[in-house]
Amino acid sequence: MPDGADPMRRRIGDVAAATGLTVRTLRYYEQIGLLNPAERTDAGHRLYGPRDLERLYRIVFLRQLGLPLDSIRASLGDSTGELRSTLRDHLSVVETRIATENRLRSRLTRLVDAIDSTEVATGDLLDLMEDMTMLDTTLDRRIAILVYDDIDGAFDHLSRVFGFGPGEISRDGDGNAVHAEIEAGDGVIWMHPERPEYDLSTPKRLDGASATMAIMVGDVDSHHRHAVAEGATIRYAPVDQPYGYREYSAIDPAGHLWSFMKPLT
């Protein structure tokens, strides 16, 4: 197919720009078999057709609901699935949010109108906070920020040893890594350089960590075997904990403590 011959097909850069996803993320989705573009140009560029974009929409929506990529792949199977069903689910989520916002608006209007003539009841404030909390559950996502003295090395370690990804590294004009981010399940981790002026140092430099990162995985033992094979520094091997999880722990090169776990069934 000649490049750009079909206006119904979009290149990867166009899809990334339109959706807010990165090109790296779209390539990663293809790598794990989640989204394979239908065609390629004569020059080998990926082309996404209408069915591909329908599938990507479902992926993005399910990610917003908090589903990990493995669960999304299992949910979608090998086909594009029913777009109508996903649209209805999405509509339901939006309508629920609108209904909550309208209810919150009505409560606020009534309380503002009445506050000069009567004392606001405790029950009214509790109802108000309940609606506010319901809306807070739609926050986009969490971001964990860890400090590293070697961002390039940390990026390689987290990708290769722990299987995180996709991700990207930002560099300054001299080519030095100044920021990196990498996906870990349904969250994202940012890597920040050491900054003494902000008291930002690695656990290794401080000779101890005050926090740990806990990551849920599908199979703790196989994840542990992979980490060991890639040279991870293991703090303790997989063990069933009394608080209901099987987990193992590892230290990364900067001294950050990681726990990889799964609920016991």
Side-chain angles (χ1 to χ4, degrees):
M1 172 185 293
D3 288 359
D6 189 346
M8 297 296 290
R9 303 290 191 265
R10 305 222 176 180
R11 296 195 185 195
I12 191 170
D14 297 329
V15 175
T19 62
L21 300 171
T22 65
V23 169
R24 186 185 294 270
T25 295
L26 292 171
R27 288 173 176 165
Y28 182 69
Y29 286 172
E30 181 180 359
Q31 177 185 333
I32 64 175
L34 189 58
L35 179 67
N36 296 303
E39 301 176 27
R40 290 182 182 264
T41 67
D42 293 339
H45 299 296
R46 296 168 177 81
L47 291 175
Y48 294 80
R51 291 289 186 184
D52 300 320
L53 298 179
E54 287 181 9
R55 184 177 177 89
L56 180 59
Y57 160 71
R58 298 186 71 204
I59 293 169
V60 171
F61 171 64
L62 293 173
R63 284 288 278 164
Q64 288 184 348
L65 293 183
L67 270 67
L69 294 179
D70 287 345
S71 297
I72 293 175
R73 183 170 53 240
S75 173
L76 297 181
D78 295 328
S79 65
T80 58
E82 287 293 334
L83 178 62
R84 181 185 299 274
S85 175
T86 303
L87 288 169
R88 284 175 173 167
D89 290 341
H90 196 171
L91 178 61
S92 176
V93 170
V94 172
E95 287 179 337
T96 297
R97 180 178 179 85
I98 290 174
T100 302
E101 289 180 330
N102 285 337
R103 187 167 61 248
L104 180 60
R105 180 180 183 277
S106 297
R107 292 189 194 281
L108 286 169
T109 299
R110 178 169 55 82
L111 291 176
V112 168
D113 291 342
I115 196 167
D116 291 334
S117 58
T118 184
E119 183 177 351
V120 176
T122 301
D124 288 332
L125 291 178
L126 290 175
D127 289 340
L128 193 64
M129 287 186 283
E130 180 182 5
D131 286 341
M132 292 166 62
T133 301
M134 290 176 65
L135 289 174
D136 280 344
T137 61
T138 61
L139 292 175
D140 290 339
R141 70 188 313 186
R142 65 190 176 279
I143 297 176
I145 302 177
L146 299 178
V147 179
Y148 287 96
D149 56 350
D150 178 6
I151 289 180
D152 285 300
F155 188 90
D156 173 73
H157 186 90
L158 296 186
S159 302
R160 176 176 49 82
V161 177
F162 296 151
F164 296 157
E168 56 187 18
I169 301 176
S170 301
R171 303 182 184 278
D172 60 19
D174 297 324
N176 301 311
V178 295
H179 172 83
E181 56 186 75
I182 196 166
E183 290 192 7
D186 62 345
V188 63
I189 295 170
W190 284 6
M191 298 174 214
H192 196 289
E194 291 187 306
R195 287 288 186 270
E197 64 270 29
Y198 300 120
D199 295 325
L200 293 176
S201 299
T202 65
K204 181 174 60 176
R205 189 178 300 278
L206 297 173
D207 197 26
S210 62
T212 181
M213 292 291 295
I215 307 294
M216 298 295 175
V217 296
D219 187 328
V220 172
D221 293 87
S222 64
H223 195 278
H224 170 259
R225 287 192 295 270
H226 172 81
V228 170
E230 292 293 336
T233 300
I234 303 299
R235 175 60 59 87
Y236 56 83
V239 61
D240 292 347
Q241 299 286 11
Y243 43 83
Y245 288 82
R246 182 167 180 79
E247 70 176 31
Y248 81 91
S249 184
I251 302 290
D252 71 18
H256 294 289
L257 179 64
W258 296 81
S259 293
F260 297 92
M261 57 180 60
K262 182 178 181 180
L264 294 170
T265 55

